[in-house]
Amino acid sequence: MDEQARYDQARRHVLELKGFYRHLAMYLLINAFLIGINLVTAPEELWFYWPLLGWGIGIIAHAVSVFGGSRFLGKDWEEKKIREFMDKKR
């Protein structure tokens, strides 16, 4: 892999990290706001955990794609499987 390709790959990864951290920040800010609204307006009926849970699943999926995606069904896995199938067809 040449220097430019490594740079491009590193840049893509940095942009993915930046996107994840923005997503996480929005999750924390908006859900804190929703918790506040719920506790002020209707503390007897707690509903804030539904968006917290739903969006939390999305955050986990995003984290796996950024931090663990290359290990589990990521690009490296795809390349390995392609090579494996090509070798079997010989």
Side-chain angles (χ1 to χ4, degrees), residues 3-17:
E3 190 67 22
Q4 184 62 39
R6 289 182 338 132
Y7 174 82
D8 291 341
Q9 186 178 21
R11 180 165 169 70
R12 271 193 310 276
H13 187 66
V14 167
L15 291 174
E16 289 173 358
L17 284 170

Side-chain angles (χ1 to χ4, degrees), residues 21-68:
Y21 290 134
R22 282 184 178 170
H23 188 188
L24 182 62
M26 294 305 295
Y27 171 79
L28 294 172
L29 289 171
I30 291 173
N31 279 296
F33 181 70
L34 291 175
I35 290 169
I37 288 174
N38 185 192
L39 295 178
V40 168
T41 59
E44 65 280 349
E45 295 180 36
L46 299 178
W47 51 262
F48 69 84
Y49 53 84
W50 292 113
L52 196 74
L53 178 66
W55 198 349
I57 292 169
I59 287 286
I60 291 169
H62 195 170
V64 166
S65 75
V66 171
F67 297 106

Side-chain angles (χ1 to χ4, degrees), residues 71-89:
R71 291 185 202 119
F72 182 70
L73 301 180
K75 202 66 166 162
D76 293 339
W77 178 84
E78 289 176 12
E79 291 299 323
K80 181 180 172 188
K81 284 297 179 185
I82 289 170
R83 278 188 248 114
E84 188 178 302
F85 286 126
M86 288 175 65
D87 290 342
K88 283 184 182 179
K89 297 293 181 182

